[in-house]
Amino acid sequence: MLRFLRFRMMFNKTVGRWLDAKGPCSDVIVSSRIRFARNLGGILFPGRAGSAEREEIVQRVEAALQKLSIYNPDRFVANSDLSELRTKYLVERHLVSPDFARMVAQRAVFVSSDETLSVMVNEEDHLRMQILASGFDLAPALAELQSLDEALGSALGYAFSGRLGFLTACPTNVGTGMRASVLVHLPGLVLTREIEKVLRGAFQIGLAVRGLFGEGTDTQGNLFQISNQATLGKSEEEIVQSLNKIAAEVVGFERKARTYLLENLRRDIEDKVFRAEAILRSARLLNSHEATNLLGVLRLGVACGLLTGPGQTRGSAPTLGAVNELMILCRPANLQVFYDREMNQGERDALRAELVRSRLEEKADSR
Amino acid sequence: MLRFLRFRMMFNKTVGRWLDAKGPCSDVIVSSRIRFARNLGGILFPGRAGSAEREEIVQRVEAALQKLSIYNPDRFVANSDLSELRTKYLVERHLVSPDFARMVAQRAVFVSSDETLSVMVNEEDHLRMQILASGFDLAPALAELQSLDEALGSALGYAFSGRLGFLTACPTNVGTGMRASVLVHLPGLVLTREIEKVLRGAFQIGLAVRGLFGEGTDTQGNLFQISNQATLGKSEEEIVQSLNKIAAEVVGFERKARTYLLENLRRDIEDKVFRAEAILRSARLLNSHEATNLLGVLRLGVACGLLTGPGQTRGSAPTLGAVNELMILCRPANLQVFYDREMNQGERDALRAELVRSRLEEKADSR
């Protein structure tokens, strides 16, 4: 029963604060993320450690977390409490990695109550900790993660080389052990077909571009992750500065594309946006892929102010934050946790349509 | 200037009375049609006649029509007044045949003011006359056409053989010279995938099945024309009886399919119908093909009463007649005549969306 209560608090119907669209440049940048990879000195990396050692790592990390003010026992979930559905729910919320979801033994995750901070234990490295921030806000996220990192590091004793920096299971993470990324919404560049050019430019200066859920996933909803590749030979601040620079350029390109579209192809854009809104408000069956894509188009309409014009008589427009939230709640595992039961695809499609409809109607009613 | 005024009266914004959906079985049968092919004795068929003879035929037919109470000079339009756009407009309204539209010289057409009667002059035969009736109503349509036929025949003197019956340019029309058809809306049979079976059955007993605009056209909007093939060896009444029988069966099959769908797949049908309605009410660009298909789905929703339920908050549902009307007004030539100017495809798509939107909103406002 206690365990059940823990789940009720950890797996809930609200989404992380980083999705509130109140951060800088939220019209284009959904969120900013900083992640550190860390390992404890004197213990094998998780992939080579035995189950006793892995269990010891979980216990040591939880003990270190317990000393921090953010710690809450309800929000530290170990392997035995991580069903496939619940792990998938955490992946969909960007709180654990797809790799973490594929592991099965002696792993754990801590998630702060506002879901802006998470610490994975025994993913590829002993520790993978991240800060998620709303909008374009990398530097504050870095500062916050550095402060957590120092507190945990002094308690745990990291594996560190004076020459290489932080030691990690995979050489691509050695050095700072840091990954910085922004989740960007680029429908304007997709519609003007400039997206390839812009992403190629980012790639050429050493950044990686991926779909919504990491490597190998497609770009549903015109959402892209742009992140640094190099972790060696640069300071954390330099990495953030360089990502800041390119992300600011991408924001500029995207806004320019949107302006171009509104000035030259307004009817086509209105057609796309109003159709998307109409389907979201009316469908009785919505699969996950379609919902994400339609919400992506709706997000463009909200960001461009197309849903507040005199032609729109269906109540006030949803906010960017409400659209961000629906994008997460519509994912298969989140939908099932939201409705508190396992469902087959047909049931999910029906309840997803119902959830979207009721959320968009609420927004219309609350004017 | 006089000619211009004639066009204003002949080419207008209202559609024929046969589209009012007030006839029997209008949930399934849009309209019933009887057509007679007739030729004047002692003159070559139009395809072999010279231009002087063809001109003479036009004049003789107009003279015969002038003696009838339905005659109105504004509604007898000769070749010189039939631009490509206006001829296409008449084709889209089912008032002249596609073959008539392809001819260029010495042709004419008379259309009654309610568009339930039309007489083509110098199509394949000297005369092609038809009655269009709302819903499933073949026998009254036949009686009405027989009465017109007698009046014209006594004035004109038809080419007739005691052995063969009425002589026609194409042997397939010899005999009664009659074609009887019903325009049926079969979304239920399409969705349950029984359509092939039903249409094959109709074909096997000697009926022809075609898409909305005659031979070789696809079945946009799930609309099909079922008509008799044989014109020889059967009386007009026998032909109507046999078509009546099969059409009544098709109505039964279609209604059964709709009941099955509503009882077993209600959510899927609602999803299709509500999406179609939402897009029609929201799109800013609608091409002709999509409009016809969406209106076909909307028609199913109206016929099944799906748009009047408590879940529907967007005003009262459109009537079947309003949907029938939009299907005609959305066709390319009708749209241009409606807005009284020639347009390219982009302009048409925009104004089509505007027309549909305003019509559906009107219905919603008038509750």
Side-chain angles (χ1 to χ4, degrees), chain A residues 310-323:
Chain A
Q312 285 308 97
T313 53
R314 303 213 57 187
S316 66
T319 60
L320 276 183
V323 179

Side-chain angles (χ1 to χ4, degrees), chain A residues 267-268 270-271 274-275 278-279 282-286 290 311-314 350, chain B residues 267-268 270-271 274-275 278-279 282-286 290 311-314 350:
Chain A
R267 183 129 51 196
D268 300 71
E270 285 184 340
D271 185 58
F274 296 154
R275 279 173 184 249
I279 294 170
S282 304
R284 260 54 182 173
L285 292 168
L286 266 181
E290 186 187 16
Q312 285 308 97
T313 53
R314 303 213 57 187
Chain B
R267 183 129 51 195
D268 300 71
E270 285 184 341
D271 185 58
F274 296 153
R275 279 172 184 250
I279 295 171
S282 304
R284 260 56 183 174
L285 292 167
L286 266 181
E290 186 187 14
Q312 286 309 96
T313 53
R314 303 212 57 188

Side-chain angles (χ1 to χ4, degrees), chain A residues 128-140:
Chain A
R128 288 279 179 105
M129 56 187 96
Q130 70 170 13
I131 296 288
L132 285 161
S134 175
F136 190 16
D137 220 14
L138 287 164

Side-chain angles (χ1 to χ4, degrees), chain A residues 153-216:
Chain A
S154 66
L156 292 167
Y158 291 148
F160 184 85
S161 145
R163 190 170 57 88
L164 293 171
F166 293 102
L167 301 180
T168 54
C170 177
T172 59
N173 285 309
V174 167
T176 58
M178 169 172 147
R179 195 73 87 204
S181 66
V182 283
L183 178 61
V184 290
H185 186 222
L186 304 178
L189 292 171
V190 170
L191 288 169
T192 56
R193 295 181 189 171
E194 296 170 298
I195 189 74
E196 285 296 334
K197 199 175 64 191
V198 169
L199 298 185
R200 215 181 307 123
F203 182 76
Q204 278 166 355
I205 61 163
L207 298 173
V209 181
R210 299 163 186 174
L212 181 52
F213 288 98
E215 276 175 276

Side-chain angles (χ1 to χ4, degrees), chain B residues 78-357:
Chain B
N79 194 56
S80 53
D81 287 334
L82 287 171
S83 67
E84 195 182 329
L85 177 69
R86 282 160 178 162
T87 315
K88 215 176 149 215
Y89 161 99
L90 294 171
V91 172
E92 290 172 357
R93 289 184 170 230
H94 302 234
L95 299 172
V96 304
S97 64
D99 278 346
F100 182 85
R102 279 188 285 273
M103 293 164 181
V104 287
Q106 297 94 33
R107 55 180 181 169
V109 62
F110 172 75
V111 178
S112 68
S113 61
D114 64 0
E115 295 189 4
T116 59
L117 180 156
S118 77
V119 181
M120 282 184 281
V121 187
N122 288 336
E123 202 243 35
E124 188 179 274
D125 296 296
H126 294 152
L127 283 141
R128 287 278 178 104
M129 57 187 93
Q130 71 169 12
I131 296 288
L132 285 161
S134 175
F136 190 18
D137 220 13
L138 288 164
L142 173 60
E144 196 181 336
L145 193 59
Q146 283 170 328
S147 133
L148 173 75
D149 184 45
E150 273 170 38
L152 287 179
S154 66
L156 293 166
Y158 290 147
F160 184 84
S161 145
R163 189 169 58 88
L164 292 171
F166 293 103
L167 301 179
T168 55
C170 178
T172 58
N173 286 309
V174 167
T176 57
M178 168 171 147
R179 195 72 88 207
S181 67
V182 283
L183 179 61
V184 290
H185 186 222
L186 305 178
L189 292 171
V190 169
L191 287 168
T192 56
R193 295 181 189 170
E194 296 169 299
I195 188 76
E196 285 296 334
K197 200 176 63 192
V198 169
L199 299 184
R200 214 181 306 123
F203 182 76
Q204 278 166 357
I205 61 163
L207 299 173
V209 181
R210 298 162 186 175
L212 181 53
F213 288 98
E215 276 176 277
T217 63
D218 65 355
T219 54
Q220 278 184 46
N222 297 322
L223 290 162
F224 301 83
Q225 277 185 45
I226 303 176
S227 62
N228 72 303
Q229 292 281 59
T231 54
L232 205 57
K234 271 186 174 181
S235 75
E236 292 154 349
E237 284 74 13
E238 281 168 344
I239 293 170
V240 162
Q241 269 169 26
S242 116
L243 182 58
N244 264 343
K245 190 161 164 285
I246 186 81
E249 279 176 23
V250 170
V251 169
F253 291 144
E254 171 63 19
R255 285 180 178 162
K256 215 167 144 184
R258 292 182 188 178
T259 303
Y260 172 84
L261 290 169
L262 289 176
E263 282 173 2
N264 298 282
L265 294 162
R266 189 177 185 95
R267 183 129 51 195
D268 300 71
I269 300 307
E270 285 184 341
D271 185 58
K272 277 187 209 305
V273 168
F274 296 153
R275 279 172 184 250
E277 189 203 17
I279 295 171
L280 288 167
R281 284 190 195 270
S282 304
R284 260 56 183 174
L285 292 167
L286 266 181
N287 69 38
S288 176
H289 188 84
E290 186 187 14
T292 305
N293 284 332
L294 291 174
L295 288 166
V297 177
L298 183 64
R299 198 181 189 286
L300 172 68
V302 173
C304 291
L306 287 178
L307 298 177
T308 48
Q312 286 309 96
T313 53
R314 303 212 57 188
S316 67
T319 61
L320 275 183
V323 179
N324 288 351
E325 184 179 27
L326 272 176
M327 281 189 170
I328 299 296
L329 294 181
C330 276
R331 311 293 312 177
N334 268 269
L335 194 75
Q336 291 173 76
V337 170
F338 188 91
Y339 283 104
D340 203 17
R341 61 187 175 87
E342 295 202 25
M343 301 178 230
N344 63 32
Q345 201 192 322
E347 293 173 295
R348 287 204 302 274
D349 290 353
L351 280 176
R352 182 180 292 114
E354 195 175 303
L355 173 65
V356 168
R357 231 164 46 240

